[in-house]
Amino acid sequence: MEAEPKFELASNRNELRYWRRMKILVTGAAGFIGSNFVRYELGQYADVSVAALDSLTYAGNMENLAGLDGDKRFEFIKADISSPIDMGRVFGAHEFDAIVNFAAETHVDRSLMDASIFIQTNMFGVQNLLDQCRKRGVRRFLQVSTDEVYGSLGAEGKFSEDSPIQPNNPYAATKAAADLLVRAAYKSHGIEAVITRCANNFGPYQFPEKLIPLMIANAVEDKQLPVYGDGMHVRDWIYVEDHCSAVDVVLRKSEPGKIYNIGGNHDVPNIHVVKTILKALDKPESLIRYVADRPGHDRRYAMDSLKLREELGWDTKHTFDTAIAATVRWYLDNRGWWERVRSGEYVKYYESLYGERLKSQ
Ligand code: NAD
Ligand code: DAU
């Protein structure tokens, strides 16, 4: 979707004039990356104002935004991005300079159980936001996308922004569809949209259904660690704060119509990650259980983020080793947070996904 830039650049290269005092709508703000991004923006910019929107699904948690209520630059809005009524109300009551859309159903395993809510939020929700941007003349829309839209790599190489879109699971397919809707809104209606596609995140506030927090929580409780297949599937890991700084730089500096890959340059097999966690917690490898593989499981992801580095000057600040140590520490220090979410619906979910798999090993 690359095309002619529409922004007027200030004398300071890449610094856009009207982004000085930005009012940003951050959707999915009570989730893992959204809440980290809200804290990042408020920490970096004195003159930013953040409307944090979330419908509070099982993955949304007001505890993730704790302590921000007293900040005059912050407000929370409970609303559903896939509801035209909710969005009409929200956009009618505020004038946003930019939207950063983190709101999504995000867990691949859940999308394999039932894809309908993924279609609702990840596709209808995105179109709904784009419609509001068009109607209200919002200046910028940033869609937070994923490396999963590219499908799987073979033994060599990395995904570039020109790699074909070949999603292999329902979650990835809905994210790919959203990217195409964003592209169409840019091409057809001139919505000043940009897309970021990031690798696997880890860090504080990640819901313990995803590999790293699940393995930490299970190991702390001396429960079995379910590793899919042979454990040799490769993911490219990035610390959440590095993802936030990348989204921030694209939001403020990118020309419209651009797509940027974001990677951590740390692509390793899952079993290495699991063993690193066990070592950090001083727990035995006998907790590991190899279980039946995830259907359609992508074998390898690795991201080439050269374009983002060269065009916008971004880089990671954290190494995997220091960031995973900090993450393990955070889960040890915040045991109440993950124990509270590992109850109720979570227990049913866990049993339906892992019950048979763990029994049959
Ligand atoms: P998450 O599941 O922790 O958070 C998603 C948030 O969206 C939750 O707070 C949830 O309540 C909210 N939400 C869901 N449906 C909504 C709706 N209809 N209206 C309003 N809010 C809704 O997910 P995350 O890991 O923080 O991911 C955030 C975004 O980043 C997603 O778009 C995801 O596709 C993308 N992403 C994630 C990763 C990763 O490794 N976690 C990597 C690349 C891209
Ligand atoms: O790559 C970016 C994507 O990363 C995001 O777009 C998704 O929202 C996010 O959920 C994540 O998807 P993955 O499927 O890669 O993440 P997950 O943590 O579920 O799994 C990471 C790897 O670990 C994957 O190869 C599957 C494996 N795994 C996962 C779980 C939950 C296991 O072996 N056992 C498990 O119990």
Side-chain angles (χ1 to χ4, degrees), residues 46-114:
D47 54 3
V48 77
S49 149
V50 176
L53 183 147
D54 204 291
S55 65
L56 299 177
T57 68
Y58 78 92
N61 185 345
M62 287 307 286
E63 286 188 46
N64 299 0
L65 297 168
L68 298 179
D69 262 350
D71 191 324
K72 286 195 175 58
R73 300 167 302 158
F74 170 85
E75 76 174 292
F76 179 75
I77 302 168
K78 184 172 186 305
D80 177 350
I81 63 161
S82 72
S83 156
I85 293 171
D86 279 8
M87 290 306 100
R89 172 175 58 82
V90 170
F91 281 79
H94 298 79
E95 259 185 50
F96 301 117
D97 298 307
I99 317 300
V100 182
N101 180 37
F102 290 96
E105 287 295 330
T106 61
H107 195 38
V108 172
D109 291 319
R110 289 184 192 255
S111 79
L112 291 162
M113 294 167 165
D114 180 2

Side-chain angles (χ1 to χ4, degrees), residues 27-34 53-61 79-82 101-107 117 120-122 125 143-147 171 175 197-202 205-207 209-210 237 243:
T27 67
F32 163 47
I33 310 172
L53 183 147
D54 204 291
S55 65
L56 299 177
T57 68
Y58 78 92
N61 185 345
D80 177 350
I81 63 161
S82 72
N101 180 37
F102 290 96
E105 287 295 330
T106 61
H107 195 38
I117 188 68
Q120 181 69 23
T121 292
N122 301 0
Q143 170 66 4
V144 179
S145 185
T146 168
D147 56 6
Y171 159 73
K175 292 296 287 188
R197 293 184 179 141
C198 192
N200 282 65
N201 286 223
F202 65 100
Y205 302 108
Q206 187 169 29
F207 193 82
E209 63 188 355
K210 308 284 166 41
W237 293 99
H243 184 189

Side-chain angles (χ1 to χ4, degrees), residues 14 25 38 67 87 100 126-127 129 185 203 215 228 233 236 242 273 305 317 322:
N14 282 333
L25 174 68
V38 169
M87 290 306 100
V100 182
V126 168
Q127 186 59 47
L129 289 171
M215 297 297 148
Y228 296 157
H233 298 79
D236 179 354
D242 284 328
V273 174
S305 2
K317 287 213 173 89
T322 53

